[in-house]
Amino acid sequence: MLYCPPHMAFADKNALHDFIEQHSFGTLISTPFFCSHVPWLLQRDEGEHGVLYGHIARQNPHWRQLAQQQVLVTFSGPHGYISPRWYQSDQAVPTWNYAVAQVQGQAELLADAATIAHLAQQVATYEPDVAAAMAKMPDAYQQKLAAGIVGVKVTITELAGKLKLGQHRSAADQQGVFSALSANREPGAQALAALMQQWQLGLGTG
């Protein structure tokens, strides 16, 4: 499903779940090849590996091929160009560092009531006040809302993740990359530096 050398793999399932929740806007892919970009709600404790809930517009024909199909969902985290000038070593070439997670699973379509319920849970994750207001909306309005979207449930059967953050480089090279990214005020560079910090890479503490 995902090429990943062992030293670049996520530590465990909880770390992967954390990553998916932090970067929950994923790409849903099915065959014949079709993709949709979807915000997902992860329920960690459902099933063996967790369950994803999302929705797509009813006008999007993708939903018609999803019922009881195997699908792939990809989640992208911080990424960015890495200059060889940031390394202490002279033996280096430009590269791209990144973090990704991938999920394979069985898709099924949700009934309208379940779609609205999971949509409210998802909204509550980002803005509880709005979710509370949604719950008080008239039934007719909620039914109209449900008519415009199709809920999708993906029961995860396999998940994998890759952290390409220069783990194979020397501590000095990692520190050079972290320093350069930290000094760059671009949001992408800052996010990649924060991810290195989260995984204790390039901090000079090892």
Side-chain angles (χ1 to χ4, degrees):
M1 181 172 70
L2 172 68
Y3 167 68
C4 182
H7 69 280
M8 293 184 181
F10 273 82
D12 54 37
K13 184 168 68 175
N14 285 333
L16 265 170
H17 282 168
D18 289 344
F19 183 86
I20 290 171
E21 288 181 338
Q22 291 163 9
H23 307 281
S24 57
F25 188 65
T27 303
L28 171 66
I29 304 165
S30 61
T31 56
F33 287 126
F34 205 118
C35 76
S36 295
H37 304 280
V38 178
W40 295 96
L41 173 70
L42 172 66
Q43 296 290 3
R44 297 177 179 232
D45 298 328
E46 290 189 35
E48 183 180 358
H49 301 292
V51 172
L52 294 171
Y53 291 93
H55 64 276
I56 58 179
R58 192 170 293 275
Q59 290 183 335
N60 182 347
H62 195 181
W63 68 268
R64 298 182 184 278
Q65 70 178 58
L66 292 177
Q68 305 307 314
Q69 295 297 312
Q70 283 288 313
V71 298
L72 176 71
V73 187
T74 66
F75 299 90
S76 295
H79 60 91
Y81 176 79
I82 305 300
S83 171
R85 294 181 297 177
W86 300 345
Y87 297 132
Q88 183 183 77
S89 171
D90 294 331
Q91 303 293 318
V93 295
T95 191
W96 203 273
N97 282 358
Y98 59 88
V100 294
Q102 289 188 355
V103 161
Q104 272 186 274
Q106 184 85 3
E108 60 184 280
L109 303 180
L110 298 175
D112 288 351
T115 297
I116 293 299
H118 287 293
L119 177 61
Q121 284 183 279
Q122 191 171 38
V123 173
T125 301
Y126 300 100
E127 204 166 5
D129 291 346
V130 173
M134 284 179 59
K136 298 177 182 178
M137 290 176 179
D139 288 343
Y141 180 84
Q142 293 195 33
Q143 291 172 8
K144 182 179 179 180
L145 178 64
I149 59 177
V150 178
V152 180
K153 173 183 177 181
V154 177
T155 300
I156 299 172
T157 56
E158 184 178 349
L159 72 168
K162 182 176 182 179
L163 292 160
K164 182 181 178 294
L165 300 175
Q167 297 96 317
H168 64 295
R169 308 292 311 189
S170 67
D173 284 350
Q174 292 177 18
Q175 289 172 37
V177 171
F178 178 74
S179 295
L181 290 171
S182 299
N184 187 333
R185 304 319 300 171
E186 290 293 324
Q190 290 290 302
L192 196 53
L195 188 62
M196 289 187 69
Q197 186 174 38
Q198 178 183 337
W199 289 91
Q200 298 292 302
L201 294 169
L203 306 185
T205 57

